[in-house]
Amino acid sequence: GNSVTQMEGPVTLSEEAFLTINCTYTATGYPSLFWYVQYPGEGLQLLLKATKADDKGSNKGFEATYRKETTSFHLEKGSVQVSDSAVYFCVTGANSKLTFGKGITLSVRP
Amino acid sequence: DADVTQTPRNRITKTGKRIMLECSQTKGHDRMYWYRQDPGLGLRLIYYSFDVKDINKGEISDGYSVSRQAQAKFSLSLESAIPNQTALYFCATSDRYDPYNEQFFGPGTRLTVL
């Protein structure tokens, strides 16, 4: 089955710092790739997605590119804000099911 | 109004008790899912249902059962709760016609088993 590996956390950054969260996956076929975010005390919401190789998903200043050759979907943001503090999950989707990474907690200091 | 709702939002119960968590959705989706979230483990699939007459076990179904009462309702039961079932539980839905497998999540139910 599919699997997702995210970099170990937690991550603490200062406001306006550059963010990279690494994610690699293993899958048969061509899964969809997602980043879901969970803000404190809330449920999960979709941050961005990419559905085929070389697609770039983007939202709220975050970006991730579907890299089939390296089976990666790294999340980046050029300048983080305190409001970006949350748990981020890298997720693959195939055959109507999702496979989640373990999640990484991001804390942004003012 | 929320598209996917879960009740209760928080529940504390005792070992051995039967408990039901409920999920309702107004998205008109056929497919519904139950997950549990544990710190450092991400979300793991408990059960899923692709329509009212279709129920499937996920990777961690032991100790749980489900009921799909209608297209819009999918309930998760713990027949005899145990402390290691303390977790955050999420319901999700997806559209059968979406080829990209995007799912929409409820706000979660925090369950504590003492």
Side-chain angles (χ1 to χ4, degrees):
Chain A
N2 295 1
S3 67
V4 178
T5 302
Q6 292 184 230
M7 61 184 276
E8 295 287 325
V11 173
T12 301
L13 296 174
S14 296
E15 202 164 28
E16 299 183 2
F18 183 84
L19 170 71
T20 299
I21 301 177
N22 290 338
C23 172
T24 58
Y25 66 91
T26 60
T28 54
Y30 303 95
S32 300
L33 301 177
F34 307 92
W35 279 97
Y36 277 84
V37 59
Q38 184 179 27
Y39 296 104
E42 298 185 12
L44 278 77
Q45 55 185 275
L46 180 67
L47 179 60
L48 53 83
K49 70 181 180 184
T51 58
K52 61 182 187 296
D54 301 323
D55 262 4
K56 177 185 284 187
S58 61
N59 186 25
K60 300 182 180 181
F62 291 89
E63 293 183 339
T65 301
Y66 191 140
R67 300 290 188 198
K68 184 172 182 295
E69 65 276 12
T70 55
T71 62
S72 64
F73 194 53
H74 305 320
L75 183 68
E76 296 183 337
K77 185 174 186 181
S79 177
V80 294
Q81 305 301 310
V82 172
S83 58
D84 294 326
S85 298
V87 181
Y88 292 81
F89 295 94
C90 185
V91 183
T92 66
N95 301 317
S96 300
K97 290 190 282 183
L98 300 182
T99 301
F100 284 77
K102 293 183 177 181
I104 186 169
T105 300
L106 170 66
S107 298
V108 180
R109 299 183 300 230
Chain B
D1 289 340
D3 294 321
V4 184
T5 57
Q6 294 183 232
T7 56
R9 294 294 311 279
N10 290 280
R11 181 72 183 267
I12 300 174
T13 191
K14 295 182 178 180
T15 297
K17 293 293 187 180
R18 184 179 188 277
I19 185 166
M20 178 181 289
L21 309 182
E22 298 186 345
C23 177
S24 295
Q25 52 111 350
T26 58
K27 299 188 75 67
H29 290 167
D30 289 312
R31 299 181 174 185
M32 299 186 73
Y33 309 79
W34 275 105
Y35 295 87
R36 65 176 280 174
Q37 181 184 14
D38 299 278
L41 294 180
L43 273 71
R44 293 179 291 167
L45 183 62
I46 306 172
Y47 270 95
Y48 60 102
S49 170
F50 283 175
D51 65 40
V52 174
K53 297 181 181 179
D54 176 77
I55 302 289
N56 304 281
K57 294 182 177 180
E59 60 181 296
I60 55 162
S61 59
D62 287 349
Y64 301 95
S65 63
V66 291
S67 173
R68 185 80 184 268
Q69 301 95 323
Q71 187 203 38
K73 296 184 181 296
F74 192 35
S75 300
L76 176 72
S77 293
L78 288 66
E79 297 300 327
S80 179
I82 57 177
N84 78 359
Q85 292 177 313
T86 293
L88 187 55
Y89 289 84
F90 287 103
C91 175
T93 74
S94 69
D95 182 354
R96 67 192 301 181
Y97 299 111
D98 175 11
Y100 305 121
N101 305 286
E102 181 179 348
Q103 293 183 15
F104 299 83
F105 286 81
T109 294
R110 185 167 297 281
L111 176 65
T112 302
V113 183
L114 302 176

